[in-house]
Amino acid sequence: MSETLIEAKNLPRHVAIIMDGNGRWAEQRALARTEGHRRGSDAVRRVVRAARRLGVEALTLFAFSEQNWARPRIEVQLLMSLLREFLVSERGEILDNGIRLRAIGDLARLPPEVRMVLDPLANDSAENGDMTLTLALSYGGREEIADAARDLARAVAAGQLDPEAITPELLQSRIASVAVGEPDLLIRTGGELRISNFLLWGAAYSELHFTKKLWPDFEAEDLYQAIGAYQSRERRFGLTGAQVKVLRSAQNDNESSMAPRAVQGLVQGVR
Ligand code: IPE
Ligand code: IPE
Ligand code: MG
């Protein structure tokens, strides 16, 4: 499938990717795992470009998990220096192409050399509106939900919040990654069929796409294929297929404002 065959109308607004398989890519070639990570960062460059060209509004990449800190020190160090290199080398392209760069995760754990390039780029690109590129760094879905719960617990302890007022919407408002929106499409490369602590909250209704391709081999074409597969799915958000059809045609007739408020949120997702 080529870029031009992608159906523009039903493009996922937010694509998230678990970029997995760098180590195996290298091991298959009797290279050091770190070489796989090097090639993996070239794949990041390719995919950011392809997503930007397609008009995807948000691309969220799982680059380093909270649990990845437990890997051998030398591998962690190399991943951090590749991250720094990526941010330095892509800075111009990110700014020139209207891309807003954000990071989610426990950024306080990142080495200062990374923060020195990450923070200014996040600042300088903050007003860009063509695509938001979010890097999940030192990120853990459970950790992030626990942070949000702690936030609410503090407000309760301070007498500012009634525990009865805690709703999914309120908890969600404290979950940092939700600020970048819920992924419509979540891709995992490398063949594993798991979420590995990525966007646990935001991925509740994401369409999942798994591919055996190892991340360093992932090309623009693989992104198009994933999007093509996404476009053939029916997102129901707990409704019946018949309800979804009614909502969709109402929306096409521009009558979605007549739908009850609660359902309107679903229409956004159903599109
Ligand atoms: C993904 O590739 C990169 C990170 C997790 C940082 P891996 O390094 O996990 O590669 P495999 O899964 O061992 O092949
Ligand atoms: C998930 O990959 C994290 C990233 C891609 C950054 P892992 O390689 O860490 O996940 P597991 O260990 O296979 O679950
Ligand atoms: Mg892995």
Side-chain angles (χ1 to χ4, degrees), residues 73-133:
R73 221 166 80 97
I74 180 108
E75 181 165 340
V76 170
Q77 280 171 350
L78 181 106
L79 283 164
M80 291 299 141
S81 69
L82 282 174
L83 172 60
R84 187 189 146 87
E85 254 175 54
F86 173 84
L87 293 166
V88 170
S89 70
E90 299 312 289
R91 182 185 159 90
E93 186 159 337
I94 285 172
L95 294 174
D96 292 348
N97 285 285
I99 298 175
R100 175 179 187 188
L101 183 117
R102 302 180 71 161
I104 50 170
D106 185 1
L107 306 182
R109 287 191 79 177
L110 296 174
E113 311 84 73
V114 169
R115 293 296 297 272
M116 273 165 52
V117 287
L118 175 65
D119 296 354
L121 182 52
N123 260 321
D124 298 344
S125 67
E127 302 301 320
N128 286 352
D130 291 335
M131 182 173 94
T132 299
L133 170 61

Side-chain angles (χ1 to χ4, degrees), residues 18-20 62-65 68 71 188 194 196:
I18 301 174
M19 308 182 292
D20 195 27
F62 200 6
F64 193 84
S65 75
N68 290 148
R71 290 191 178 193
R188 181 175 186 140
R194 54 179 174 255
S196 297

